[in-house]
Amino acid sequence: LATGPRQNNSIFYEIRKYDIKPSKMKEFVEMVNKYLHLRTAHSELLGFWSTELGAMNTVVHIWKYDNFAHRAAVRHALANDKDWQGKFLSAALPLIEKQHNEVAYLVPWCQLGKPPKEGGVYEWVTFQMKPGGPALWGEAFRAAINAHINTGYTKLIGVFHTEYGLLNTVHVIWWNKSPDDRAAGRHRAHEDARVVAAVRDSVRFLESQQNMLLIPLQCSPLK
């Protein structure tokens, strides 16, 4: 997060979160795994996950766009894609209770990461920061993220700052080998003076925080 230019002023990421009817979660996931190739033929998918802890019967997915004109063109093409509309969308929509989307930018000091191997779990942490934007809290937030990275117990995948949706929101995605490895690493981090100091400095700008443990779907590029 910085007051200067972003990594690329046009590229952005659409974060979509769907609440699925509890009795239909298995059916929805099976449909996504079977037909998502019809959707990814139109634009790039970063990852597609289902929630394990922190929320229930929810899926989260992230799409990359070159600019807003690119997104508009993709949405137009999808509306006219008979396979996508007929094989997936018409059957999937009745399974969804609620949809939510945000537009976010990757912060300038973060490159998208990849897990060192498949088969782990992802932690999605949403920070609601005080109004004022990165000019107010960006430096302290970055220091807190770097302090966790430096412990070595977790792998950073990405840090995203909202542009549309609830503003002053930052989503941070971490990867761990397992929930138990994550728990052990958090214990060590809480005893690390560097982490304690950095978190203490950044938390004064924090309004709220939500953590979710995510499991990647079979079709997800990030596994």
Side-chain angles (χ1 to χ4, degrees):
L1 299 165
T3 55
R6 303 183 181 95
Q7 290 190 27
N8 183 309
N9 281 327
S10 62
I11 293 175
F12 67 86
Y13 301 85
E14 183 175 5
I15 299 170
R16 287 184 163 243
K17 184 185 295 183
Y18 297 167
D19 294 332
I20 311 301
K21 294 178 180 178
S23 63
K24 301 297 185 179
M25 187 66 179
K26 183 176 183 293
E27 181 181 350
F28 182 85
V29 168
E30 289 174 349
M31 289 183 60
V32 171
N33 283 325
K34 183 176 181 180
Y35 292 117
L36 197 69
H37 67 281
L38 299 174
R39 175 62 183 83
T40 54
H42 291 275
S43 65
E44 182 180 350
L45 173 70
L46 262 67
F48 205 121
W49 303 268
S50 63
T51 56
E52 182 72 13
L53 297 171
M56 296 183 68
N57 302 302
T58 300
V59 297
V60 183
H61 38 125
I62 306 176
W63 299 89
K64 180 181 179 181
Y65 293 102
D66 296 335
N67 49 47
F68 288 97
H70 178 212
R71 180 185 183 274
V74 168
R75 302 302 297 175
H76 178 76
L78 287 169
N80 291 282
D81 186 327
K82 293 182 179 179
D83 280 345
W84 173 249
Q85 294 289 330
K87 293 180 179 179
F88 179 80
L89 200 59
S90 61
L93 285 179
L95 312 182
I96 300 172
E97 287 193 328
K98 187 178 180 181
Q99 294 176 300
H100 175 76
N101 75 331
E102 296 175 338
V103 166
Y105 290 96
L106 190 67
V107 301
W109 44 267
C110 174
Q111 298 293 326
L112 283 175
K114 292 185 177 181
K117 64 178 183 178
E118 293 185 4
V121 296
Y122 291 78
E123 182 180 10
W124 183 291
V125 189
T126 298
F127 299 91
Q128 185 59 43
M129 309 303 292
K130 292 183 181 297
L136 175 67
W137 40 259
E139 184 177 341
F141 188 90
R142 179 180 181 180
I145 294 296
N146 285 335
H148 283 86
I149 293 172
N150 292 337
T151 64
Y153 84 88
T154 187
K155 167 71 174 177
L156 180 66
I157 301 300
V159 182
F160 301 88
H161 180 211
T162 57
E163 182 76 6
Y164 287 99
L166 187 59
L167 298 184
N168 296 295
T169 301
V170 185
H171 301 289
V172 183
I173 307 174
W174 303 93
W175 178 90
N176 289 279
K177 289 189 293 185
S178 71
D180 286 320
D181 277 346
R182 185 263 183 194
R186 291 283 289 178
H187 264 299
R188 295 194 300 272
H190 290 162
E191 297 172 354
D192 189 313
R194 299 168 299 174
V195 175
V196 172
V199 170
R200 183 178 291 129
D201 186 44
S202 67
V203 76
R204 59 197 171 101
F205 302 112
L206 182 66
E207 295 279 8
S208 65
Q209 176 180 339
Q210 180 184 10
N211 290 32
M212 298 187 297
L213 187 71
L214 306 179
I215 307 297
L217 270 61
Q218 179 183 339
C219 61
S220 177
L222 285 173
K223 288 188 173 63

